[in-house]
Amino acid sequence: MSNTEDQDPNRRQVLSATTLAFTFAAVASQARAAAAIPAAFGAPKQIDAGVLSIGYVEMGPTDGPAVLLLHGWPYDIHAFAEVAPRLAAAGYRVIVPHLRGHGTTRFRATETPRNGQQAALAMDGIALLDALGVAHAIVAGFDWGARTADIMAALWPERCKALVSVSGYLIGSQQANRAPLPPKAELAWWYQFYFATDRGRDGYAANTEAFNRLIWTLASPRWAFDDATFARTAKSFANPDHVDIVVHNYRWRLGLADGETQYDALEAKLAAAPPITIPAITMEGDANGAPHPDPASYAKKFTGKYAHRLITGGVGHNLPQEAPAAFAQAVIDVDKL
C-alpha cells in the first residue's frame, strides 16, 4: 500500500506537506520521551450519556482541545494507553471511552435493546460529547472505533474538528453487505459467519478470551504482545452485554438481525456513503491481518484536507497500541491541517 492522491494539485500539496511533517525522527524522539510512560490507566470514571452509563478515562488539561479516542473489537481503552499520555502532554484533553458492551460501560435500563449497529455506536459518541459538555472534538479510532469516528465526522461535522481513521472509510450498510465477496475475502470474515449461528454465539460466550486472543494473533501477526497485555484488556470482555453486542453487530451487518427504528433515518444517510469533509488522516499498518480496504478505494471519500500514512515495521490491526507514537503524531498533525 502507498500514500493515496487524486488529480487535484491543491490536494497533492496538502499530502506532501503532511508527509514531510511526519518524520521518523519525530517518532523516534517521541518513543524516547515515552520510555517512562506507564501503559495503563487508573479506574475509569462513569457518566450517564444517552442510553448508557459510559466508563471512560480522561487525561490532560480540561480546557485543552478535546480528542475522543475510540477502540474496536476485541480491544478496549488500553489500546490507547501509550497514545493518551502523549496527547495529554501536548496539551489535549483526551477522552477514552469503553464502547457499549465493553469494560465498565453499562446500559441504564434493562429493557434497552443490546444493539450493536453502527448508528447506535455513533450516537453513543455524540451522547458522550454532550454529557461532557464538549462542543467539538478531534475523533480518532480503529476497527469499530474507526467506523464510529467516520460516521460522527460524516453526519455531524460541526461536532468533529478533524478525524484520524485506521483503515480509512469504513462506513457500510446492510444493502452493501448483501453483495457476495470473492472467496478469499469471504474467508477473512470467518468470524462474522460463525456469529451468524447459534453455535457461534454459544461458542463465543463459552470461549470469549480464547477467541479474542486468536483474533489478536490473526489481526496482528507480527505483534509480540505478552500475556499481561492481553489479560489487562480481557477484563473488559466480562461486561454482561459483551456477547450480545458483538453478535448483534455482525448479524446486523448481514441483515440477519434488526436494528432499532430510531436509527433508520441515520442508516439511510449512511447507506448513501456520505463524504467526509473535515480534515482527515487515514492510516494503515503494513502487517494488518484483518479485513481492510485498499487506501486507493476510499481516498476520494475524503473531500477536505487529507493524507494517508502507511506505518511500516510489522504493524498490525491494533495500530494505536502497536505504533502509539505514530498514531499520536497523526492526531497532532491532523489538528494542523
Side-chain angles (χ1 to χ4, degrees):
M1 301 178 192
S2 60
N3 286 4
T4 57
E5 298 184 21
D6 60 20
Q7 300 303 311
D8 183 345
N10 294 325
R11 176 75 58 79
R12 289 196 294 272
Q13 289 174 6
V14 170
L15 283 165
S16 178
T18 306
T19 302
L20 289 173
F22 178 60
T23 65
F24 286 105
V27 172
S29 176
Q30 283 198 6
R32 290 191 295 271
I37 293 175
F41 294 120
K45 303 176 182 179
Q46 293 291 136
I47 191 167
D48 288 347
V51 300
L52 301 174
S53 170
I54 295 180
Y56 70 103
V57 294
E58 187 171 358
M59 288 185 176
T62 57
D63 60 349
V67 179
L68 182 64
L69 301 178
L70 299 166
H71 70 80
W73 169 83
Y75 307 97
D76 79 338
I77 59 175
H78 291 98
F80 301 104
E82 294 183 54
V83 172
R86 286 175 164 87
L87 295 176
Y92 291 94
R93 178 186 181 185
V94 186
I95 302 159
V96 192
H98 281 293
L99 300 187
R100 55 173 59 195
H102 295 74
T104 60
T105 292
R106 297 289 188 273
F107 285 87
R108 297 170 63 190
T110 56
E111 64 270 18
T112 303
R114 274 34 179 181
N115 178 1
Q117 77 181 103
Q118 60 180 359
L121 290 165
M123 281 299 303
D124 293 344
I126 294 296
L128 179 59
L129 294 183
D130 288 344
L132 293 173
V134 176
H136 58 279
I138 299 170
V139 289
F142 72 106
D143 194 81
W144 288 17
R147 180 176 294 105
T148 302
D150 287 348
I151 293 170
M152 292 175 67
L155 297 187
W156 297 281
E158 72 281 1
R159 303 299 301 275
C160 302
K161 183 179 181 182
L163 168 72
V164 173
S165 177
V166 176
S167 298
Y169 189 92
L170 298 178
I171 298 172
S173 70
Q174 289 180 321
Q175 297 94 313
N177 286 334
R178 290 192 183 102
L181 301 173
K184 186 175 181 180
E186 296 282 23
L187 177 63
W189 287 104
W190 65 272
Y191 51 88
Q192 182 169 251
F193 300 111
Y194 184 67
F195 291 150
T197 68
D198 289 341
R199 176 188 175 95
R201 190 197 185 286
D202 293 345
Y204 186 60
N207 304 287
T208 307
E209 288 195 17
F211 192 103
N212 290 345
R213 185 164 187 140
L214 174 62
I215 295 293
W216 277 35
T217 302
L218 296 175
S220 299
R222 295 175 61 185
W223 181 29
F225 62 87
D226 57 22
D227 291 343
T229 298
F230 179 77
R232 182 181 60 188
T233 289
K235 295 176 182 178
S236 291
F237 309 145
N239 183 295
D241 302 305
H242 180 77
V243 173
D244 286 340
I245 292 297
V246 171
V247 170
H248 185 269
N249 178 284
Y250 288 101
R251 289 184 179 182
W252 178 87
R253 296 190 201 191
L254 293 179
L256 301 176
D258 293 332
E260 293 177 77
T261 57
Q262 63 178 304
Y263 301 120
D264 286 353
L266 295 180
E267 292 294 353
K269 292 179 181 178
L270 297 175
I276 292 174
T277 60
I278 64 173
I281 292 176
T282 59
M283 309 182 75
E284 192 60 79
D286 66 340
N288 185 357
H292 59 280
D294 188 287
S297 70
Y298 57 69
K300 291 186 178 180
K301 298 305 296 181
F302 297 90
T303 60
K305 296 178 180 178
Y306 172 70
H308 178 76
R309 293 177 177 177
L310 176 65
I311 309 303
T312 60
V315 176
H317 189 61
N318 185 1
L319 195 152
Q321 196 162 358
E322 298 176 62
F327 191 89
Q329 190 62 49
V331 173
I332 292 168
D333 289 346
V334 80
D335 191 24
K336 302 173 184 176
L337 290 183

